[in-house]
Amino acid sequence: MDYETIIGLEVHVELATASKVFCSCPVEFGAEPNTRVCPVCLGLPGTLPVLNKRAVEFAVRAALALNCEVHPTSQFARKNYFYPDMPKNYQISQYDRPLATGGYVEFEVDGRTVRVGIRRVHMEEDTGKLLHEGVEGGSLVDFNRAGVPLLEIVSEPDIRSPEEARLYLQELRAILLYTGVSDVRMEEGSLRCDANVSIRPRGSREWGTLTEVKNMNSFRSVERALAYEVQRQREVLESGGRVVRETRHWDEGRGVTFSSRSKEEAHDYRYFPEPDLLPLVLDPAWVREIGEKMPELPAQRRRRLVEEYGLPAYDAGVLTASKSLGDLFDRTVKLYDDAKAVSNWLMGEVSRVLRERDLDIERSPLTPENLAAMLRLIDDGTISGKIAKSVLEEMVDTGKEPRAIVEEKGLVQISDEGQLLPLVRRIIEENPGPVADYRGGKKKALGFLVGQVMKETKGKANPQLVNELFRRELG
Ligand code: ADP
Ligand code: MG
Ligand code: ZN
């Protein structure tokens, strides 16, 4: 039987506001437990929530970037449940009147554009965190995260493979980064994803029974968990069984999902309108203004890099996927006009050097000015492309100007024929074998000979000139 995979994702992102959504406690990751709390976010009796306007602005901006309709009036609701990470025993969320509905995200899969609908975008507050590790006879609870503004972004079941799920998340992450509403770090939990998945016989119009998979903490593990779950459901159906609607946890180490509890139905939460907050009424002029001030989004940047700089679609995709890499590209091409050369260096050596040092571009002292200056040193023959790689490393480590690095380390390229010719002649004498090969028609032997000169000069000889000298000497 051929099955079709159906996936819908529920994504939670923490908004990067300075303070929490209903109180003025600071939002900070990694602070000492229970030091960023107050009577409001601890749910003490007699306190009242006050909505953070900046959180609403971020939510509206994200919803517009996701092509949603932002509703003039939405409503906060209490989602009631008892769990020790929620001090109030309810979470303030939105339910039947969410902030925004009916959007979409588009991305490319093998040159084909896939559009995934966004069912709804709503605001809610984050919960605290339970700590089980290293605790005997119980758990500890940290309420620093309780009340951090969250956006829940629910997709339509339009995703058709685990790979598409990962690409959707990557595009969503890029959009949220570009709009500046969240730092979307999955490892720090500022983006969390639950995945609903079902399968059905291809061609069928009925939905299969879905399971909801939780506890994935990277895009890679979302893809792996979904692939596992699709296969598991297939085996259940093929052995004559029925898929049970339930929540399943992903176990990263074992690479399996396991049943945790049956999925709550909405009525279990006893939602009702939050009596302590007025309906959220948005001024249409303000919403329009947020839309007009929208920064460039990833899809626009990809298009612009192709149209304005003639970059291949592949380069545009890589440079856009990381906002900081794209920003560095934009600033560097303003100073140095060979866009493809800039792209090559950014996708290649710059990315490698940063990865090796486990550095973000923002946290490295690399500047567009220094990068452009380095490219000019290559062009005017001061350094070879090879030497440039070590200059780049030094630039990343120290933030020094390339010219200063070249002078300090004596890296200036040797383009003086008088200096190189004796060396070329000596290498010819010392390597009769390769010389004979070259003369006998094996052009590759030349590469070996040139390599010897590069080795002796520690990469400083001008490779074009060395090539030329060998050709001349060897006739
Ligand atoms: P709720 O969580 O409020 O009960 P739904 O279960 O309808 O709402 O939808 C939650 C998520 O499940 C959405 O992301 C939606 O796209 C997805 N979803 C709905 N139906 C299916 C299905 N048959 N297979 C996979 N995902 C689905
Ligand atoms: Mg749900
Ligand atoms: Zn507080």
Side-chain angles (χ1 to χ4, degrees):
M1 175 82 79
D2 187 18
Y3 289 99
E4 184 182 29
T5 298
I6 311 284
I7 296 167
L9 298 181
E10 293 171 79
V11 170
H12 289 89
V13 273
E14 287 182 358
L15 297 175
T17 50
S19 56
K20 293 186 179 180
V21 61
F22 299 122
C23 64
S24 54
C25 289
V27 171
E28 262 170 74
F29 179 80
E32 185 75 11
N34 298 309
T35 57
R36 303 296 186 266
V37 293
C38 73
V40 176
C41 56
L42 287 177
L44 301 190
T47 58
L48 289 170
V50 177
L51 182 59
N52 178 338
K53 186 173 180 188
R54 182 53 67 91
V56 179
E57 181 188 335
F58 281 7
V60 168
R61 198 191 300 160
L64 292 175
L66 297 170
N67 306 295
C68 289
E69 183 190 342
V70 174
H71 300 297
T73 304
S74 59
Q75 172 82 58
F76 286 98
R78 282 192 187 180
K79 180 177 181 178
N80 298 281
Y81 64 93
F82 179 77
Y83 200 63
D85 64 1
M86 267 312 304
K88 299 196 289 285
N89 290 338
Y90 60 84
Q91 178 186 26
I92 302 179
S93 182
Q94 294 187 311
Y95 180 52
D96 50 357
R97 300 178 76 187
L99 180 81
T101 53
Y104 61 87
V105 168
E106 283 183 336
F107 51 94
E108 302 273 309
V109 184
D110 308 322
R112 174 173 59 89
T113 300
V114 170
R115 177 182 284 207
V116 172
I118 300 293
R119 183 176 282 186
R120 57 188 276 143
V121 173
H122 74 244
M123 297 182 69
E124 58 187 33
E125 58 178 336
D126 209 346
T127 62
K129 243 190 250 178
L130 293 181
L131 304 148
H132 314 285
E133 256 150 61
V135 185
E136 241 173 86
S139 296
L140 297 176
V141 59
D142 174 8
F143 287 125
N144 284 350
R145 204 180 65 180
V148 168
L150 280 187
L151 212 56
E152 179 168 337
I153 301 164
V154 182
S155 87
E156 293 292 345
D158 290 345
I159 300 166
R160 290 292 172 270
S161 70
E163 188 200 10
E164 276 186 22
R166 177 174 52 78
L167 293 168
Y168 164 81
L169 283 174
Q170 282 169 346
E171 187 64 16
L172 184 61
R173 178 177 191 276
I175 292 169
L176 295 167
L177 264 183
Y178 275 64
T179 50
V181 303
S182 173
D183 51 19
V184 274
R185 294 212 179 92
M186 211 166 173
E187 332 75 64
E188 290 183 2
S190 58
L191 182 149
R192 305 193 282 274
C193 171
D194 299 336
N196 300 275
V197 54
S198 64
I199 60 172
R200 64 181 174 187
R202 196 170 292 283
S204 158
R205 312 197 115 237
E206 272 160 56
W207 299 112
T209 303
L210 65 81
T211 57
E212 182 169 3
V213 186
K214 290 181 180 285
N215 194 40
M216 290 98 42
N217 48 23
S218 69
F219 291 163
R220 192 79 222 151
S221 57
V222 171
E223 190 175 3
R224 282 180 66 210
L226 284 169
Y228 174 87
E229 188 56 18
V230 167
Q231 183 58 26
R232 188 193 67 82
Q233 291 186 9
R234 175 190 294 267
E235 281 164 21
V236 167
L237 296 184
E238 278 170 358
S239 64
R242 284 174 45 210
V243 173
V244 180
R245 177 158 179 148
E246 61 183 355
T247 299
R248 298 181 66 88
H249 269 249
W250 169 245
D251 181 327
E252 181 76 33
R254 289 193 296 143
V256 300
T257 65
F258 61 91
S259 174
S260 44
R261 58 171 178 180
S262 63
K263 194 178 184 300
E264 302 91 344
E265 298 288 338
H267 61 255
D268 294 335
Y269 290 124
R270 311 252 167 212
Y271 279 100
F272 61 83
E274 169 58 61
D276 289 343
L277 288 164
L278 291 165
L280 174 56
V281 179
L282 301 174
D283 176 0
W286 187 55
V287 173
R288 211 175 316 118
E289 190 189 323
I290 295 171
E292 282 161 7
K293 288 197 188 136
M294 186 70 72
E296 185 181 45
L297 296 174
Q300 293 166 322
R301 176 177 257 172
R302 279 195 295 271
R303 217 173 308 125
R304 182 171 59 77
L305 295 191
V306 171
E307 284 167 9
E308 195 174 324
Y309 297 110
L311 289 185
Y314 174 81
D315 293 42
V318 174
L319 295 177
T320 300
S322 149
K323 179 170 188 300
S324 51
L325 202 61
D327 290 347
L328 185 56
F329 173 83
D330 272 329
R331 294 172 59 197
T332 308
V333 285
K334 290 214 165 65
L335 306 166
Y336 180 85
D337 64 10
D338 183 347
K340 181 60 181 149
V342 174
S343 167
N344 288 346
W345 275 88
L346 290 181
M347 295 194 306
E349 289 303 308
V350 171
S351 297
R352 175 188 65 81
V353 170
L354 292 172
R355 199 168 42 240
E356 279 173 10
R357 285 156 179 73
D358 201 16
L359 265 182
D360 295 338
I361 287 174
E362 296 97 333
R363 282 187 290 141
S364 92
L366 187 63
T367 63
E369 289 76 19
N370 285 349
L371 196 57
M374 184 200 82
L375 293 169
R376 263 183 246 113
L377 290 179
I378 302 174
D379 289 345
D380 68 18
T382 308
I383 54 174
S384 63
K386 188 159 184 285
I387 291 291
K389 293 180 185 182
S390 56
V391 172
L392 175 69
E393 291 182 357
E394 192 70 16
M395 274 161 41
V396 170
D397 290 337
T398 65
K400 283 188 190 152
E401 287 178 12
R403 162 109 18 218
I405 295 168
V406 166
E407 276 162 16
E408 216 168 85
K409 304 213 151 188
L411 297 174
V412 176
Q413 179 161 257
I414 308 168
S415 297
D416 173 8
E417 201 177 310
Q419 213 179 327
L420 290 176
L421 193 56
L423 187 54
V424 165
R425 289 189 173 142
R426 202 184 86 218
I427 296 295
I428 290 175
E429 250 164 58
E430 287 171 0
N431 295 280
V435 166
D437 286 348
Y438 177 76
R439 290 203 161 116
K442 278 199 195 156
K443 297 297 171 204
K444 265 201 213 144
L446 185 61
F448 171 81
L449 295 168
V450 172
Q452 298 310 300
V453 172
M454 298 310 289
K455 206 153 120 193
E456 295 243 350
T457 58
K458 301 201 169 60
K460 287 193 289 183
N462 178 334
Q464 268 129 329
L465 183 57
V466 173
N467 256 286
E468 209 180 292
L469 292 176
F470 271 115
R471 282 208 203 92
R472 211 158 73 200
E473 288 298 301
L474 296 173

